Structure formats: structure tokens, C-alpha cells
Amino acid sequence: MPKAVRCCIAGGGPAGMMLGLLLARAGVEVAVLEKHADFLRDFRGDTIHPSTLELMYELGLLEEFLRLPHQKVRRLTGQVGDVPIIIADFSHLPTRCKFFAFMPQWDFPNFLAAQAARYPTFHLRRQAEVSGVIEEAGRVVGVRATTPDGPAEVRAALVVAADGRSSTVREQAGLRPRELGAPMDVLWFRLSRRPTDPEETTGRFDRGRIYIQINRGDHWQCGYVIPKGAAETVRRGSLESFRAEVATVMPFATDRVGELRDWEAVKLLSVQVNRLPQWYRPGLLCIGDAAHAMSPIGGVGINLAIQDAVASANLLVEPLRGGGPTPDDLQRVQRRRLLPTRVIQGLQLLAQRRVITRVLAGTGPLKPALPLRIMARFPVLLRLPGRLIGLGVRPEHVKTPAVPPSVTGSPLPAR
Ligand SMILES: Cc1cc2nc3c(=O)[nH]c(=O)nc-3n(C[C@H](O)[C@H](O)[C@H](O)COP(=O)(O)OP(=O)(O)OC[C@H]3O[C@@H](n4cnc5c(N)ncnc54)[C@H](O)[C@@H]3O)c2cc1C
């Protein structure tokens, strides 16, 4: 790992890896420090949006990417009580891929890492946990990290915090997000999947409960949405009654709920929705969840993180090749990405208030919300949520230059 690079990125999630790839592809010396030894984070969700697939096309990587095992989802569906609903239709998007690719989330950063490794200016250091920032005269000039070989320092013209919703870099740099509030947490667990099971990745809303099942091929990734702070109450109850509850919403898996042997198998994912008033300081930029933690509603956080990375690369490659980005350059990134973030977070907050809180409270009749009922009558309207979820607001396109990959750069294995 070099001691100095042009850009040092903390965090190898979707935001960090995408930015790392784009900068290396443009010939900028970049280091990504990822605290874990691998990309196997369960919580992230498995959605690769049509807009991200479009970016893969723009990078000339789409065909190779789609060779990874995935499921294509053209319409997002769910169930409210006993009523099946369609939430969004992607089949009319102005993109090459008119579908979501559901893919185990670790495959995506792995793929980006393998592509980035073809460029000699790319450095990925796993098991490197960024613990602090180095400051000189009020400017961030590098990071400190803990590695299996001992402490390390990397200096850079720009440090990017892409280390997620509990960002250490953001905190160490003294940036505080404004909490926008989330009424729920998620209990996250998996059950094995049989060939005779249904195929569908779907969500189910019942009185007092919301339940999500994601088809990951050989297993189901399940999310059980509970009111914020209720995890202790659930865990104080018997595991037997939790298993019975799971069997009620997934009747085909009744014979497998015993796979939940203890509460260790049921992880608590704390949902946050927040946003930094200012995403940067001299020498430092926050992107992805580090700048704006997203609710899981709509499964759009990964998309926003990737779009942030593309916008950052588009706006910062030239300054990084020159004297280094100025605060004005960094402000341009925030200005570019603020509207899309505000709109999507605003819609998530609305859904939290109007749907999630009411369903979890278990009060009132359970029927599809008015917009869903209208869309069921006029399916053409399903294109609007399809656009918001699948493309987002003001989708980004790759505008950065590409240097030829190194003939000696050795790609990492895909997994
Ligand atoms: C329950 C739940 C379900 C979700 N489901 C979906 C979904 O289906 N679709 C969707 O689009 N979004 C979903 N989201 C939101 C999504 O997970 C985030 O918006 C997205 O992962 C943000 O990407 P990121 O790259 O900014 O951060 P992250 O994905 O959090 O990546 C940050 C990376 O930084 C690393 N890191 C952390 N600290 C350090 C450190 N100090 N030093 C070095 N590395 C560090 C982490 O190991 C991680 O690899 C969900 C969120 C929750 C809570």
C-alpha cells in the first residue's frame, strides 16, 4: 500500500468501490481501505438497479457483469393483507436493462474490485480499518488505519468517507448528520430455499407486521420489520413463537423454521435516515450512506451511493489530476447530489409516516394505500415509481476518461 495517493477512500462498499474503479480507470492513483477481509456484508440488500446496469454498460462491463448469477425482477410486487399489489414497473424504463438484478450483494463490490485491479493506479487494502484523519492547518490530508501489520498512514490530496452509516471518518472529521427519523428496525435472518419454493422476492404487509423475503438462490434472506427499539421485547419472548410467526408469513418454509436455532441467527439491523448539512471539509468528502443514511424502503440506498460515486468522479478527476480538489469543487458534488437525495429521502419519510408506522401499529383497516389502488386500476401509472426506484432523480452517466488497463494488472477472483 503506497504511503501517499491522490485519493484515499475509506470503505469498500458500493460507493467506495465504484469511485475507486472510476478514478483508477481515469489514471488517478487511488487507495481503497476496507475494514473487513471480504465483502460479505449481509445487511446491504441485493438490488442492482437499472441505472447501475446502465453505468455498467457505459463502462463496457454489462455483459460480463450479467454473467454473475442473478434474478431479473421487472415488476416490484407485494401483498397487503390478502391483496396482491404491484408497487413499480421497470419494463418501460429508457435503459438497456429494464429490470432490477437481484444478486447477493457481495458479488457487486467483488466485481468492481476485480475490474479496478486491472489498473496499476488502483490499490485495495482489506483488513484496513480507518481509525482517524490526519489534519494539517485545518485541512484533512490523510487517514490513519489499523491493519494486521500494525498501524498505517495514507496521505492524499482528497480523503473520501464511503464508510457507511456509522462512518468513523465523518465522526473524526467533526461532521454531524441531521437525524430525519426512522420508526422501524429490521430483524434479518436466512432460511434455506428448496426448488419447490416460490421464486418471488416480495414484501408482505399484515396488521402489525411487515415481512420481506429475498430469493438468494439456495437460501431466503428474510427481513422482519419491527417498531424501532422493539427488538429486546421480541427477543425476550420465546424463539418458538418467533418461529411460529415466520411460519405464518412463509407457510412453505414451516419445515425449516427450526434452522433459527437461537437468537444469534436473527440479527438486528438498526434503520437510520439522516443527512449531513455539509458533505465536505477541506480535503475531505463524504458520499453514500456516510453523507446520507438511507432507509431500506424501496431498496434504493445502493443506487444513491453509486450515483454519488459517479458524480464525484465526473467532477473531481480533473482537480485530482491537478493541484487537488478545492472546497468549491467538493461543494459542487454536494450540490449535484443534494436534490436526488432529498427527493428520495423525502419519499421514504412519507412512506414511513403513512404506511410503515400505521401498519406496525396494527390500527385501522389493512388495505392497499390509495395510490396503490389507483395504480392497480391504471397500470400505466406504475411507470412513475418504476422510474423513481429504478433510475432515481437526475441519473448520472460516466463522463470520466479511460486509460488503457495494465497488461500486468491481475484481476482478483470474482469471489
Ligand atoms: C436492513 C437494510 C436493508 C437494506 N436493503 C437495501 C436494498 O435492498 N437495496 C438498496 O439499494 N439499499 C438497501 N439498504 C441501504 C443500503 O444498504 C445502503 O444505502 C448502501 O449500502 C450504502 O452504500 P455505501 O457504500 O455508502 O455504504 P456501505 O454499503 O455501508 O459500505 C461501507 C463499507 O465501509 C466499510 N467500513 C466501515 N467502517 C470502516 C472503517 N472505519 N474503515 C474501513 N472500512 C470501513 C464497511 O465494511 C463497508 O464495506 C438497506 C439498508 C438496511 C439497513
Side-chain angles (χ1 to χ4, degrees):
M1 173 66 57
K3 293 205 176 325
V5 287
R6 295 303 291 160
C7 180
C8 179
I9 301 169
M17 289 311 307
M18 188 70 183
L19 182 58
L21 167 62
L22 290 170
L23 294 183
R25 181 176 167 273
V28 173
E29 192 92 19
V30 55
V32 179
L33 307 188
E34 164 57 48
K35 75 173 171 184
H36 290 288
D38 53 46
F39 294 118
L40 307 180
R41 304 284 78 71
D42 250 342
F43 73 86
R44 215 177 256 137
D46 299 35
T47 48
I48 306 295
H49 304 72
S51 56
T52 302
L53 295 170
E54 194 71 4
L55 293 170
M56 291 293 112
Y57 172 79
E58 290 172 10
L59 289 168
L61 301 175
L62 182 63
E63 220 175 289
E64 197 178 336
F65 183 62
L66 288 178
R67 271 190 228 123
L68 295 173
H70 65 277
Q71 273 102 41
K72 295 181 176 61
V73 173
R74 292 172 207 282
R75 296 200 310 185
L76 215 55
T77 61
Q79 193 172 318
V80 177
D82 292 329
V83 184
I85 51 164
I86 304 173
I87 299 163
D89 180 358
F90 308 114
S91 60
H92 295 274
L93 289 178
T95 46
R96 265 139 206 104
C97 299
K98 299 174 194 311
F99 56 83
F100 256 61
F102 268 85
M103 172 181 292
Q105 61 75 22
W106 46 85
D107 279 351
F108 184 61
N110 255 337
F111 179 83
L112 297 181
Q115 295 303 325
R118 297 158 63 221
Y119 298 94
T121 52
F122 178 77
H123 311 276
L124 170 61
R125 178 72 201 253
R126 298 172 209 247
Q127 291 182 283
E129 179 163 5
V130 176
S131 51
V133 292
I134 307 169
E135 294 192 46
E136 281 172 8
R139 183 184 171 88
V140 175
V141 295
V143 298
R144 291 191 185 84
T146 316
T147 75
D149 308 325
E153 281 190 8
V154 181
R155 297 205 158 225
L158 176 68
V159 169
V160 175
D163 50 347
R165 71 197 69 185
S166 313
S167 171
T168 303
V169 176
R170 177 183 72 196
E171 193 194 324
Q172 292 292 315
L175 297 174
R176 303 263 174 279
R178 192 164 71 86
E179 292 303 326
L180 304 174
M184 79 279 205
D185 288 326
V186 181
L187 297 177
W188 203 237
F189 55 93
R190 47 170 75 184
L191 292 176
S192 60
R193 192 174 163 273
R194 305 246 167 94
T196 48
D197 286 355
E199 287 281 318
E200 234 178 3
T201 288
T202 188
R204 189 167 158 178
F205 296 77
D206 267 328
R207 200 182 297 276
R209 60 162 96 104
I210 301 171
Y211 181 76
I212 299 141
Q213 63 186 53
I214 300 172
N215 178 350
R216 278 192 184 161
D218 62 350
H219 68 271
W220 290 105
Q221 178 61 61
C222 309
Y224 200 84
V225 182
I226 54 171
K228 185 131 218 94
E232 268 321 298
T233 317
V234 176
R235 282 184 172 147
R236 249 184 271 124
S238 80
L239 187 60
E240 201 42 57
S241 56
F242 184 70
R243 289 188 192 125
E245 178 84 12
V246 174
T248 317
V249 283
M250 281 177 95
F252 58 86
T254 304
D255 56 347
R256 275 158 273 163
V257 292
E259 291 171 10
L260 303 174
R261 289 214 167 77
D262 49 37
W263 285 115
E264 283 296 296
V266 184
K267 293 188 196 109
L268 169 67
L269 301 181
S270 175
V271 176
Q272 296 170 36
V273 186
N274 62 34
R275 193 166 64 235
L276 279 174
Q278 187 170 311
W279 300 14
Y280 61 92
R281 272 190 50 191
L284 171 75
L285 174 68
C286 300
I287 61 170
D289 270 16
H292 46 75
M294 305 300 294
S295 163
I297 293 174
V300 288
I302 298 173
N303 191 27
L304 263 90
I306 290 168
Q307 299 277 313
D308 284 2
V310 177
S312 305
N314 286 344
L315 290 163
L316 300 178
V317 159
E318 280 316 313
L320 280 166
R321 285 171 157 179
T326 62
D328 282 351
D329 294 324
L330 303 179
Q331 190 190 36
R332 258 176 230 124
V333 177
Q334 173 169 352
R335 239 191 268 139
R336 170 95 201 155
R337 296 299 306 150
L338 191 57
L339 176 76
T341 309
R342 266 199 183 140
V343 171
I344 299 296
Q345 283 186 327
L347 291 171
Q348 289 186 324
L349 294 175
L350 188 71
Q352 286 185 173
R353 264 197 316 273
R354 291 281 170 87
V355 182
I356 307 288
T357 309
R358 286 187 192 176
V359 174
L360 290 179
T363 53
L366 190 70
K367 57 178 185 182
L370 183 63
L372 289 172
R373 298 203 303 272
I374 295 175
M375 287 192 295
R377 285 199 63 178
F378 305 102
V380 71
L381 297 176
L382 287 162
R383 296 181 192 179
L384 179 64
R387 214 180 161 101
L388 279 170
I389 296 172
L391 279 186
V393 176
R394 198 192 274 161
E396 301 291 341
H397 296 280
V398 177
K399 294 190 181 140
T400 42
V403 298
S406 152
V407 280
T408 52
S410 56
L412 299 173
R415 258 211 185 175

